[in-house]
Amino acid sequence: MTHDLNRYSRGAIAFHWIIAALVLANYVLVNIAHDLERSAKAVYMDPHKAIGITILVLTVLRIIWRLTHKRPDVAHGVKPWEAMLAKTAHSLFYILLIAIPLTGWMMVSAYGSSGVDWFGIFEIPALPVEESRDVGGQLHDIHEIIGKAMFVLIILHVLGALKHQFFDKLPVLAKMGLGRNV
Ligand code: HEM
């Protein structure tokens, strides 16, 4: 059946793709920065931090949007356990999209940074966490582990969507604005 209730709202679609693009950019930046010397690293890590904070703010707005807008029904033909799995993944995404940038921000604050420079436009203040290399190191570990865990989740999420679209022939991509509901 074709009707607009089968599609997320324009706002939800915009949040989804903008956040997805920023998250991917952040993985690319941190991977390029990985093996570089300290000064060269900053060229990639400064935007990593600024993009990360942007993701945090957008995710808070996205959650508010989600709570205040109608969502489409689960595509007809998706099995209940699959819908459950998808819902669990979506909830995990929201948790990780808050926890990953927050631990990054806490980490640089614990390492003694005065704040996060937002693309040279303004400075986001450091968080009031204990200034200690140990605490910074622990937050670094958590940030890295949950950052990598979300990468796995992204792959599963994409594989799930592609399976429904091309294997089960259910128009799930159209729900998120890719193509038309047929
Ligand atoms: C959704 C947003 C973010 C994602 C997906 C993300 C992802 C990651 C990942 C996967 C790593 C580990 C890379 C590796 O060592 O293999 C990392 C490291 C790091 N991230 Fe983030 N991050 C995000 C936001 C932030 C924010 C907001 C900050 C700081 C304000 C930040 C600061 C750092 C720092 C300082 C490192 C350590 C780099 C190093 O080991 O030299 N990140 N990030």
Side-chain angles (χ1 to χ4, degrees), residues 22 25-26 28-34 36-55 104-105 108 113-124 143:
L22 294 177
N26 248 8
V28 172
L29 287 167
V30 87
N31 274 298
I32 299 174
H34 205 258
L36 299 178
E37 292 300 319
R38 206 182 157 82
S39 59
K41 218 175 183 165
V43 175
Y44 299 95
M45 285 315 288
D46 287 351
H48 175 88
K49 294 172 196 172
I51 290 174
I53 304 266
T54 310
I55 293 169
W105 191 4
V108 293
S113 158
S114 60
V116 176
D117 175 48
W118 200 79
F119 302 110
I121 300 171
F122 56 86
E123 175 106 344
I124 297 152
H143 182 74

Side-chain angles (χ1 to χ4, degrees), residues 19 22-24 26-27 30-31 33-34 41 45 48-56 59 96-98 100-109 111 115-116 140 143-151 154:
I19 291 174
L22 294 177
V23 166
L24 278 187
N26 248 8
Y27 283 118
V30 87
N31 274 298
H34 205 258
K41 218 175 183 165
M45 285 315 288
H48 175 88
K49 294 172 196 172
I51 290 174
I53 304 266
T54 310
I55 293 169
L56 178 62
T59 300
L96 290 170
L97 284 169
I98 298 284
I100 296 168
L102 199 57
T103 50
W105 191 4
M106 288 166 74
M107 171 211 322
V108 293
S109 307
Y111 278 143
V116 176
H140 180 283
H143 182 74
E144 189 172 330
I145 291 167
I146 59 178
K148 287 180 175 168
M150 188 167 77
F151 197 76
I154 292 170

Side-chain angles (χ1 to χ4, degrees), residues 132-163:
S132 123
R133 294 215 63 82
D134 277 356
V135 174
Q138 282 162 9
L139 287 162
H140 180 283
D141 288 348
I142 298 172
H143 182 74
E144 189 172 330
I145 291 167
I146 59 178
K148 287 180 175 168
M150 188 167 77
F151 197 76
V152 175
L153 196 63
I154 292 170
I155 291 175
L156 295 177
H157 174 74
V158 172
L159 286 178
L162 294 178
K163 178 218 176 243

